[in-house]
Amino acid sequence: MGIIQHIKSNERLKALALYLLMPANQARPRWWVRNFMNPFYHRKGNGAVCKSKARLDVLPFNPFSIGENAVIEDYAVINNGMGHVHIGRNTFIGLFNVIIGPVTLGENIIFAQNVVLSGLNHGYKDISVPIKKQPCTTAEIRIEDDCWIGANVVVTAGVSIGKHSIVAAGSVVTKNVPPYTIVGGNPARILKQYNPETEAWEKIIKKPIAV
């Protein structure tokens, strides 16, 4: 058994390791982790920019990467505490975005302001235990290349959004979105899809997103 597996299997060692990595009841890693560990554990592509006021709550026990020429704007929050976060090249993470892993983002994606992607859900089934103390579950969010995600969009755990799709501002996406599709609403529904035969984006009347 390796040292990491040994720590994970021992609750006291695990608690000690977490304390050394980040203060109790906080998601943000300690100063020494941000400045001396993360640069060696996580990949940053050439020309990638993390603005000075962005908050990178990234830790060495889950992967984090940002591709070439990608941008994380001021006041965005990236958290890999529960799962990996991968940001593809030329992808733009807008102001006040919150991205909680596991999340994989493709290339050339545009995120507007106040977008929330959360790959985790809190447990709630045991009513004798506060929700805060119940185990979390995770399911990866995947957004493929060339998508545009509008302002104030929420994407829930386990959702995939296909290539060159658009999510209208204010939408809550709870189901997978096919490629070349425009969705909107709460919950989001298909509004238009690209028809390669007519080479046009065509309206869809009240069509729900497939599971």
Side-chain angles (χ1 to χ4, degrees):
M1 181 184 293
I3 185 170
I4 294 176
Q5 288 74 23
H6 180 64
I7 291 172
K8 286 183 176 181
S9 65
N10 186 303
E11 289 301 321
R12 294 184 67 181
L13 288 176
K14 184 178 178 179
L16 175 61
L18 289 173
Y19 174 78
L20 294 173
L21 292 170
M22 57 186 180
N25 298 318
Q26 296 186 39
R28 193 168 198 178
R30 296 186 184 277
W31 180 88
W32 72 273
V33 176
R34 299 196 304 270
N35 291 277
F36 293 101
M37 289 190 73
N38 285 344
F40 297 99
Y41 278 86
H42 304 306
R43 186 181 67 81
K44 182 178 179 182
N46 293 332
V49 175
C50 297
K51 294 295 187 69
S52 62
K53 294 180 180 178
R55 177 167 163 168
L56 300 185
D57 290 351
V58 297
L59 293 152
F61 52 72
N62 283 317
F64 167 71
S65 66
I66 177 171
E68 295 178 3
N69 300 312
V71 175
I72 300 175
E73 264 289 3
D74 283 327
Y75 309 108
V77 178
I78 311 295
N79 185 304
N80 76 337
M82 291 294 292
H84 64 264
V85 176
H86 294 302
I87 300 171
R89 102 186 143 85
N90 297 321
T91 285
F92 180 86
I93 307 299
L95 292 163
F96 298 100
N97 281 199
V98 177
I99 298 176
I100 301 171
V103 171
T104 297
L105 306 177
E107 302 179 353
N108 301 304
I109 299 171
I110 303 170
F111 285 87
Q113 302 77 33
N114 301 303
V115 175
V116 176
L117 277 63
S118 180
L120 71 85
N121 280 312
H122 291 280
Y124 63 90
K125 293 184 179 180
D126 187 346
I127 62 171
S128 67
V129 178
I131 291 174
K132 182 180 180 181
K133 295 183 178 180
Q134 295 196 39
C136 292
T137 60
T138 60
E140 184 187 28
I141 294 172
R142 297 185 65 88
I143 301 182
E144 297 180 0
D145 299 347
D146 307 333
C147 289
W148 173 21
I149 311 299
N152 302 303
V153 164
V154 175
V155 182
T156 59
V159 166
S160 294
I161 298 177
K163 183 176 181 180
H164 205 98
S165 289
I166 299 165
V167 180
S171 300
V172 178
V173 187
T174 61
K175 304 291 185 182
N176 293 344
V177 177
Y180 306 102
T181 300
I182 300 174
V183 301
N186 180 8
R189 289 177 170 270
I190 293 175
L191 304 176
K192 291 183 179 181
Q193 287 185 300
Y194 184 76
N195 186 336
E197 295 181 0
T198 62
E199 298 184 346
W201 291 85
E202 299 178 353
K203 287 186 177 181
I204 306 294
I205 305 301
K206 294 184 179 180
K207 181 177 180 181
I209 297 174
V211 176

